[in-house]
Amino acid sequence: MIRDITLGQYYPAESVLHRLDPRVKLSGTLLYVISLFLFQSFAGYAVATVFLVTVIVLSHVPVSFMLRGLKAIFILLIFTAVLNIFLTPGRELVSFWKITITIEGLRVAAFMVLRLVYLIVGSSVMTLTTTPSNLTDGLEKGLGWLKFFRIPVHEIAMMMSIALTFIPVLLEETDKIIKAQQARGADFESGNIIRRAKALVPILVPLFVSAFRRANDLAIAMESRCYRGGEGRTKMRPLRYTGRDYAAYSVLIVYLAAIIAVGILF
Amino acid sequence: MPILVNHIDHIYNPGTVFEKKALSDVSFSIEDGEYIGLVGHTGSGKSTLALHLNGLMKPDSGGIYFDGVDIASEGYDMKALRGKVGLVFQYPEHQLFEEDVFTDVCFGPKNLGLERQEVELRAYEALKAVGIEDDRFYVSPFDLSGGEKRRAAIAGVLAMKPKVLVLDEPCAGLDPHGREEILSIADDLHDSLGITVVLISHSMDDLAEHVDRLLVMHNGQLVMDGPTREVFMNRKELEAMGLAVPEAAAVLSDLKGMGLPVRTDLITVEEAKNEIIRALRSRF
Amino acid sequence: MGVAYAAPIFILNDIMNLLDANKLVFEYVRRDKNGDVDGFIRAVDEVSLEIAQGDFVAVLGPNGSGKSTLAKHLNSILRPTEGVLYVDGMDTTDSDKIWDIRKTVGMVFQNPENQMIGTIVEEDVAFAPENMGVDPKEIRERVKESLITVEMLEHRKASPSKLSGGQKQRIAIAGVLAMHPKCIVLDEPTAMLDPEGRKEVIRAIRALNDVENITIILITHNMEEAVYADRIYVMNKGHIVMKGTPREVFSRVEELEENSLTVPVVTKLAYELKTAGLNIPDGILTKKELCEAICRS
C-alpha cells in the first residue's frame, strides 16, 4: 500500500509537460484545483474533464500509473460516497428500514467522489511530470516576493526538496524495518486498536533513529559541499520563460475564461 | 529435514513495466546441523530467497516445506515458523528499538507468547551466546559499538531458539577484528548449539574458512549447490558471473598454471600453505 | 591559487604541503545519563601529517580509532582542540577561510544515500557549484566533465534511487569533483558496497589520482584497497601507530594484528610461507608477486 502513493513521485519521460516551466504548472494546478471546488454543474465537470484528459495525454505518463495513486485513497472515496448518499436530505429515491437514499444524495456523492478523484489525478500529473527539485525551484522563484515579508522562501524550498528526496529512501527503510521485526515474531495485524498502536513502536523507533542519523549525515555532507543558505547561490538551469510557457499560460487563460463562462451560464 | 524448497518462483511487480523475475525454479533442501554459505551478486535473488525461508515472502509458484509441512497450508503458524527459522538482517539499526539491550532481546521470545521467566532466561542465554557481558545488558542499544550492535541483533533472533539461523551479510562494514568476532560466533552457534547456519556473504575468503556447503545464486536461479571445496573448483564459471574464488584457491590454480604440481581443490590459507610447502619439498 | 593566501607564512617546513597537521588533538566531552560531564575523550591525539599535492594516502584503523574524526578536520567540519592544521596554507580555525577550505578539500562519506541532494543525478552533481555561486553555463560544463570522469554521463538524467551502490558512490565523487578540489577525502566509501561496487569506486579513485593528480585520502578498513596507496597511515586509539608504503606496513603482520587489523589474504599467505621457512620476501601485495616468489624459491 505504501508503494501505491504516486503523489510526489516523478515519472521520467520526454513530453511538453515535462519541459514546461514549473511556475506554469504550479499556477495551472492551483487554477484547476480552485475550479474543481467552484464547479457545481455537469457542464463544469465536462470542462474539467476535457482539461484533465488533454493534460494526461500530453504528459506521456501511463494512465495506469496515475490511477494507482487512487488506490491509496480508495477507502476515503467509499467513505465519502456512503456518507453523502445516506446523509443528504432531499427527494426520496429508495427507502428501507431507517435508511433513505435521495436524488440529491446521489448527486452530491457523485460530485464529491469525482472531485476527489480529479484532485488526486490532476495534482499527480504535476508531480509526475516535474522533478521535485524543479518543483521547489518553481516555488522558490514564483514565491520569491514573499522574502520581503521575511518569509525564508529559499529555506522552505530546500526543506521541501530534501523531504521529497528522502521519501523513497525512508519508505524502503520502513519496509526493511517491518520485515526485521516480523522476523522477530512481531505482529501488526491482530488485536484491538491499542495493541496495534503499540505494535508500531518497534517500527517507529528505528525509523526515527535512522531519520535523525540521516539528517545529521546529510547536514555534514551539505556543509562539506559549501552549502550556506540561499545567499549568493546560482542555479545550473535558472528558470526562464520560453515561448512554450507563454503558450501554456494562454491555455490557462482560456481555461479561466471557461470557468467564468460556466459559472455564468449554468 | 527442516527445510525443503521445491521449485519456487517469485516475480516482482507482475504485469507492469517493472516486472522482474527475482527467483526462478529454485530447489534445494537444508538438513539439520548444516553450515551453508549463500553467495551471489546484488540482485541475484539471494536476499529474496532468504525472505522466503521464514515466510516473510511467498513464492508465486512452488512450495516451501518446514519439517515436512507446507508453510503455505491453511492455518500454518507463521509466528512459530519465524521462531524456528531465524533471520538476522544486515543492519542491526533496523531492529534495535528498546531502552536497553536486555529488553530488546526479550522482544522476540515475548512475541512467541512465552512466560516472562522463560523469556528472560532465553534472552540471558542468547546474550551470553553472542558474548555480550552482564555489564552491557542495561545500556541503550543505540550506545553500543558497531560490532556489539550486530551481536545484540543476532541475540534478538537467537532468543527465539531457532533451528535454522540465516545471517544476511553479518560482517558488512565491520573492521577486521569485528568480522572475526561475528564469524566465530556463527561458528559457535553451529558447532556448540547445533544450529543450522546459513551465511549470506560477499567474501569468498570468509566462506572458504567457515562454511561446508555453498549455494550460488545468479539471475534468480540457483546455479551451483555443493560442498564449498567443489564449488570453488569452478573458477572460470564463477568469474564469468562476476564472482571470485578465495584468494588461496586462486593462488594455487595460478601456481599450477605456472607448472608447479599443486592440488587445486584447497581453499583456505592454512591448506594452501601446507600444499605449497609439500609441492616445493617434493620437487627436490 | 595558493598565491592568493600568501600573506603571513604559516608553513613551518620548507616544502609547502597541501595538508599539514601538527600535533592535532580533538577532545570531546562525554556525558553520563543525567547529562553531567563524565570525562573527556581524546578522539584524535597528537596527530601530525604531511601530505603533498598528488599523494594517495590510505588511513587504516579499527572502528573507533579516530580516523573519521581526523577526516572531519580536513575540511573544517571539526576544529582542533589543540594543535594546528593547515590546508593549502589556510588555518582551518580561520572562519574567513572556511569556504575556501571546503572547496579545496572535498569529502565523500560512507552512505551514498545520505549525501544525495537532488532527485536526478545531474542536479546532485550541480549542488556544490551552485552553492559556490558558479555561473550557470560553467556549472553545466563542470557537471558534464565530472560525470565523464567517473564514467556516469549516460546516467545524468537518472534518479539516484535507481542506481546501484557503486554508481551512487561515483555520483557522490562527481558531486565533489565539480568543486574542482585539490584533495578528496573518502571516509569508508566502500563499506556499504558489494565487491563489484567496491571495484568501480576504487577504479574511479585511482583514476582521479593518476590522471587528474588529485590528492586522495582514503579511509578504509578494507586492507585490499589500501594496497594501491602511495602511503599508509595506521591509526589506533587516536594515534598514528604505523606509517609507510603498503609494502612496508603490510610486512609488519603481527603489529597490524595487535592493532585489530589484518593484512590482505595474499600477504597473509606469503607471511605464513615465510614463517614456515620458505624464501619469500616481505610485504607481498599481489597474487602475481606471490606466485613468482614461490616459483623462484
Side-chain angles (χ1 to χ4, degrees), chain A:
Chain A
M1 177 128 149
I2 292 174
R3 307 200 171 275
D4 291 334
I5 301 169
T6 48
L7 210 65
Q9 257 183 41
Y10 174 68
Y11 185 93
E14 292 287 321
S15 80
V16 189
L17 237 52
H18 281 79
R19 281 191 292 261
L20 227 45
D21 190 289
R23 286 169 291 176
V24 182
K25 287 186 263 191
L26 281 166
S27 338
T29 310
L30 188 67
L31 183 65
Y32 169 78
V33 169
I34 292 171
S35 77
L36 285 182
F37 284 96
L38 292 177
F39 288 147
Q40 295 295 344
S41 61
F42 285 108
Y45 276 88
V47 173
T49 308
V50 171
F51 184 74
L52 186 62
V53 170
T54 318
V55 165
I56 290 175
V57 170
L58 285 178
S59 73
H60 290 197
V61 179
V63 180
S64 61
F65 206 82
M66 283 183 195
L67 295 182
R68 211 187 296 168
L70 292 176
K71 257 202 249 169
I73 60 154
F74 190 68
I75 310 250
L76 182 68
L77 286 178
I78 301 278
F79 192 65
T80 317
V82 168
L83 277 188
N84 279 297
I85 288 176
F86 295 126
L87 297 179
T88 315
R91 279 168 296 160
E92 188 181 304
L93 191 67
V94 214
S95 175
F96 53 93
W97 189 46
K98 282 180 189 164
I99 296 166
T100 344
I101 296 177
T102 63
I103 295 173
E104 281 75 12
L106 278 180
R107 196 186 142 91
V108 173
F111 275 135
M112 280 307 275
V113 169
L114 211 57
R115 191 174 286 164
L116 273 173
V117 170
Y118 275 31
L119 199 69
I120 296 292
V121 174
S123 37
S124 57
V125 171
M126 179 183 68
T127 51
L128 285 167
T129 59
T130 319
T131 65
S133 48
N134 219 330
L135 198 67
T136 46
D137 272 3
L139 276 177
E140 188 179 349
K141 195 144 188 204
L143 301 177
W145 46 274
L146 283 175
K147 261 187 281 193
F148 297 108
F149 300 101
R150 295 182 170 255
I151 294 174
V153 183
H154 165 79
E155 282 70 17
I156 293 172
M158 181 55 82
M159 282 190 265
M160 277 183 57
S161 147
I162 291 171
L164 287 169
T165 317
F166 274 82
I167 286 173
V169 175
L170 290 177
L171 284 181
E172 199 179 309
E173 181 136 58
T174 311
D175 195 48
K176 284 184 184 159
I177 294 170
I178 291 176
K179 292 224 164 74
Q181 301 300 25
Q182 276 179 327
R184 294 208 284 166
D187 183 356
F188 309 116
E189 275 129 28
S190 60
N192 56 25
I193 290 188
I194 296 168
R195 256 193 81 166
R196 281 198 204 192
K198 265 175 94 176
L200 289 179
V201 175
I203 300 173
L204 293 179
V205 173
L207 189 62
F208 271 81
V209 170
S210 150
F212 280 112
R213 200 192 53 235
R214 285 181 191 278
N216 189 38
D217 284 4
L218 185 69
I220 292 177
M222 286 171 74
E223 277 191 48
S224 295
R225 284 160 78 184
C226 297
Y227 181 72
R228 54 191 128 162
E231 205 78 8
R233 224 174 162 252
T234 48
K235 289 275 173 192
M236 172 170 59
R237 296 208 165 77
L239 293 177
R240 211 169 283 134
Y241 285 128
T242 61
R244 193 189 300 130
D245 301 305
Y246 293 118
Y249 270 127
S250 317
V251 173
L252 289 180
I253 290 170
V254 173
Y255 185 64
L256 180 66
I259 299 171
I260 296 167
V262 167
I264 297 169
L265 294 174
F266 297 93

Side-chain angles (χ1 to χ4, degrees), chain C residues 45-63:
Chain C
D45 197 0
E46 301 209 344
V47 164
S48 297
L49 288 172
E50 282 170 24
I51 294 171
Q53 177 70 43
D55 279 357
F56 182 169
V57 173
V59 181
L60 296 175
N63 289 336

Side-chain angles (χ1 to χ4, degrees), chain C residues 10-205:
Chain C
F10 295 112
I11 308 301
L12 307 166
N13 318 38
D14 295 327
I15 318 145
M16 169 134 156
N17 287 312
L18 183 65
L19 299 174
D20 224 311
N22 195 8
K23 298 204 166 161
L24 192 78
V25 173
F26 184 74
E27 262 181 359
Y28 63 91
V29 175
R30 195 179 63 182
R31 289 177 193 279
D32 61 16
K33 276 181 181 165
N34 308 320
D36 297 325
V37 176
D38 198 11
F40 291 94
I41 296 191
R42 279 199 168 203
V44 175
D45 197 0
E46 301 209 344
V47 164
S48 297
L49 288 172
E50 282 170 24
I51 294 171
Q53 177 70 43
D55 279 357
F56 182 169
V57 173
V59 181
L60 296 175
N63 289 336
S65 57
K67 53 195 197 305
S68 290
T69 311
L70 176 65
K72 288 199 181 84
H73 281 81
L74 301 178
N75 74 341
S76 198
I77 294 282
L78 294 177
R79 312 259 172 104
T81 318
E82 283 168 35
V84 283
L85 170 62
Y86 293 103
V87 171
D88 204 13
M90 297 173 276
D91 186 339
T92 60
T93 54
D94 183 351
S95 304
D96 296 336
K97 295 278 193 291
I98 189 162
W99 304 110
D100 291 313
I101 291 171
R102 291 192 182 158
K103 203 151 66 174
T104 310
V105 179
M107 282 271 194
V108 175
F109 299 93
Q110 188 185 88
N111 189 341
E113 280 171 357
N114 295 356
Q115 47 188 319
M116 289 278 168
I117 304 125
T119 42
I120 61 172
V121 164
E122 59 173 14
E123 282 171 4
D124 180 68
V125 179
F127 182 72
E130 285 182 341
N131 291 332
M132 288 155 58
V134 176
D135 179 64
K137 191 161 166 277
E138 201 194 323
I139 295 181
R140 291 195 289 273
E141 277 164 19
R142 286 188 181 200
V143 167
K144 194 174 163 197
E145 79 193 22
S146 306
L147 284 171
I148 289 173
T149 311
V150 298
E151 297 174 11
M152 286 295 290
L153 188 64
E154 66 203 280
H155 297 284
R156 66 183 184 278
K157 297 282 182 193
S159 151
S161 60
K162 298 272 184 288
L163 301 176
S164 73
Q167 289 175 321
K168 279 186 209 167
Q169 207 57 300
R170 275 146 69 203
I171 297 303
I173 293 172
V176 165
L177 267 183
M179 299 196 294
H180 288 175
K182 291 187 176 177
C183 171
I184 298 183
V185 180
L186 303 105
D187 190 356
E188 295 187 31
T190 62
M192 301 180 85
L193 307 182
D194 61 6
E196 200 67 16
R198 286 183 179 192
K199 265 187 238 159
E200 286 169 28
V201 169
I202 294 299
R203 198 170 54 221
I205 294 171

Side-chain angles (χ1 to χ4, degrees), chain C residues 219-269:
Chain C
I219 294 169
T220 180
H221 41 226
N222 186 313
M223 304 300 134
E224 271 82 7
E225 291 169 0
V227 165
Y228 304 112
D230 301 322
R231 249 177 316 143
I232 293 178
Y233 287 93
V234 177
M235 279 191 79
N236 199 5
K237 301 192 176 99
H239 298 280
I240 288 184
V241 288
M242 293 169 78
K243 63 180 168 186
T245 63
R247 213 171 284 285
E248 286 161 7
V249 169
F250 287 140
S251 58
R252 288 143 77 182
V253 177
E254 277 155 22
E255 205 179 330
L256 278 166
E257 276 168 3
E258 279 163 26
N259 287 299
S260 307
L261 296 175
T262 55
V263 292
V265 178
V266 171
T267 314
K268 172 98 180 156
L269 180 55

